[in-house]
Amino acid sequence: MASSIRVAACHASPVFLNAHKTTNKAISLIQQAAAQNAKLIVFPETYISAFPIWSSVRPPTENHELFQRMVKQSVYADGEEMESIREAARSVGSIVSIGFSERSRHSNGCLYNSNLLIDTDGKVLVHHRKLVPTFFEKLTWSPGDGCGLQVADTKFGRIGGLICGENTNPLARYALMAQAEEIHISTWPAIWPTRTPQKKVDGEDATTSPKPANYDNLAANRTRAAAHCFEAKCFGVACSGFLEEDAVTALVDGASQPDVVTETVRAMPRAATFFLDPTGAPLPSFTFAPGSITPKATSHLQGEEGILYADVDLSACIEGKQYHDVVGGYQRLDVFDLKVDRSRKNPVTFTEADRSHKASND
């Protein structure tokens, strides 16, 4: 197994609610990253083909058309779009982690917030469905199951991942730590509004009448990602989406309060893409200008699309285990007992008699 590898995090927008074009864009980014010798290439939460920001800024009664479009532009885990991504991973010889809105074969309206980890031969290593959609996401996605709480043992390290708010779930994170995770992927949307902008009223004293604060998604993502790296003694890849103008236009179009939607979306801090070392500290990272092989040091990507790279030395995951190995010497297995059900859950199980046997007895 390689000790040092290059990781690429694609800070990119989808082609909003267009699965075919977004898949083609993802393949192009995979090829770009592989050309810079990236062996693990990561995409944001539900990159194919949208994150349902509309549910946070518009009432549900205005979002039926957007939900219908979301369903039509979501993809099957074994569908042609993911087959194309798997072939791209195989053709460049890199591992690919990609978020997507997954269609269900049990229902024409059920969706999951999902992620595939794909090996260098195009094989799916982990198919994860977000355990619990967060806040307004419940209007779009159904709860997943524990099937995807797996760490893949690859030639480029032991790789696990969680989606957005799952990185706040200590039991889900511990389940990955207990599988000797070395690289943790956390994926995030471009923005995550929780309040409309709070305007100060004339004559109001901000010191005595503070406005409720919006959820600081940028700070929260850094806190959660860093905490996991520190506790697991693993490297962190925090990969966030980018909000493009086609998404903003779709959010505003048809809204009963277009000014409020526009102001809210514009005011929200954009999520960042960055890397962390096994102490939770920032890991040196870099980008490449188009056509260049000379890296340019960059701490993170936030306000523009791009691919962020970092080189990780997996041997750095060992030292910190001397201090707190929370699944080994720094744990009380006689006190705590965690059981995780990793079976895939289906809504129905059919049993049928052998038709040929039944026919012979009719």
Side-chain angles (χ1 to χ4, degrees):
M1 183 181 72
S3 175
S4 180
I5 65 165
R6 177 162 293 175
V7 182
C10 299
H11 187 72
S13 67
V15 180
F16 190 71
L17 289 175
N18 189 314
H20 178 71
K21 290 184 178 180
T22 303
T23 300
N24 289 339
K25 182 174 179 178
I27 292 171
S28 176
L29 291 168
I30 289 169
Q31 293 168 343
Q32 291 178 48
Q36 299 293 357
N37 201 35
K39 298 304 181 185
L40 170 60
I41 304 168
V42 180
F43 287 87
E45 180 177 9
T46 60
Y47 182 69
I48 302 175
S49 58
F51 182 84
I53 302 169
W54 55 83
S55 291
S56 70
V57 294
R58 294 166 42 153
T61 51
E62 295 182 4
N63 294 335
H64 303 308
E65 181 181 349
L66 283 167
F67 179 73
Q68 290 177 10
R69 289 177 61 190
M70 182 72 162
V71 170
K72 292 177 180 178
Q73 295 303 319
S74 296
V75 302
Y76 294 110
D78 58 355
E80 61 181 38
E81 294 85 1
M82 301 314 295
E83 287 290 335
S84 297
I85 300 297
R86 291 171 63 183
E87 173 56 26
R90 187 203 63 76
S91 67
V92 301
S94 298
I95 296 173
V96 172
S97 172
I98 187 160
F100 66 108
S101 182
E102 180 187 355
R103 298 187 73 169
S104 167
R105 297 197 182 276
H106 297 288
S107 167
N108 62 1
C110 175
L111 302 177
Y112 297 102
N113 183 335
S114 298
N115 195 93
L116 289 188
L117 185 66
I118 303 166
D119 206 353
T120 55
D121 60 0
K123 176 184 176 182
V124 174
L125 297 172
V126 182
H127 174 196
H128 179 52
R129 291 171 174 168
K130 189 174 185 180
L131 294 168
V132 181
T134 310
F135 190 31
F136 57 80
E137 297 171 11
K138 293 179 175 67
L139 295 171
T140 300
W141 292 307
S142 297
D145 52 40
C147 184
L149 292 176
Q150 302 180 47
V151 170
D153 190 4
T154 79
K155 60 184 177 181
F156 301 127
R158 297 184 61 81
I159 304 170
L162 294 172
I163 302 168
C164 193
E166 291 184 315
N167 291 279
T168 313
N169 186 323
L171 300 183
R173 295 194 301 106
Y174 183 84
L176 299 185
M177 294 181 204
Q179 298 172 69
E181 186 183 38
E182 295 174 308
I183 299 175
H184 180 77
I185 297 169
S186 59
T187 56
W188 315 88
I191 62 172
W192 205 71
T194 58
R195 290 182 180 273
T196 56
Q198 303 294 303
K199 296 181 179 179
K200 183 180 177 181
V201 178
D202 289 343
E204 184 178 32
D205 185 351
T207 61
T208 58
S209 303
K211 293 293 186 181
N214 206 310
Y215 187 84
D216 191 338
N217 196 42
L218 178 58
N221 293 357
R222 287 190 176 277
T223 298
R224 290 180 283 192
H228 184 78
C229 290
F230 180 81
E231 292 172 9
K233 315 307 180 195
C234 69
F235 285 93
V237 186
C239 185
S240 300
F242 180 79
L243 188 67
E244 194 54 272
E245 285 303 309
D246 59 347
V248 177
T249 299
L251 294 174
V252 175
D253 185 32
S256 59
Q257 295 181 294
D259 293 344
V260 174
V261 172
T262 301
E263 186 177 3
T264 301
V265 172
R266 299 290 186 201
M268 293 303 102
R270 299 300 186 257
T273 291
F274 52 90
F275 294 95
L276 299 167
D277 72 14
T279 71
L283 182 70
S285 54
F286 46 91
T287 59
F288 291 96
S292 174
I293 60 172
T294 303
K296 177 184 177 182
T298 308
S299 62
H300 65 281
L301 289 177
Q302 184 178 16
E304 60 182 358
E305 283 194 285
I307 304 177
L308 191 67
Y309 300 85
D311 293 327
V312 305
D313 183 355
L314 298 179
S315 64
C317 297
I318 298 174
E319 181 179 327
K321 296 283 187 177
Q322 296 181 97
Y323 318 136
H324 336 93
D325 186 350
V326 299
V327 297
Y330 209 70
Q331 185 57 273
R332 286 292 303 274
L333 303 180
D334 58 328
V335 177
F336 302 108
D337 183 14
L338 175 64
K339 293 181 173 61
V340 179
D341 182 355
R342 293 203 306 199
S343 59
R344 177 66 82 207
K345 304 302 181 185
N346 291 316
V348 64
T349 300
F350 294 103
T351 59
E352 299 180 24
D354 186 312
R355 294 181 184 278
S356 60
H357 176 75
K358 182 178 185 298
S360 66
N361 288 280
D362 284 345

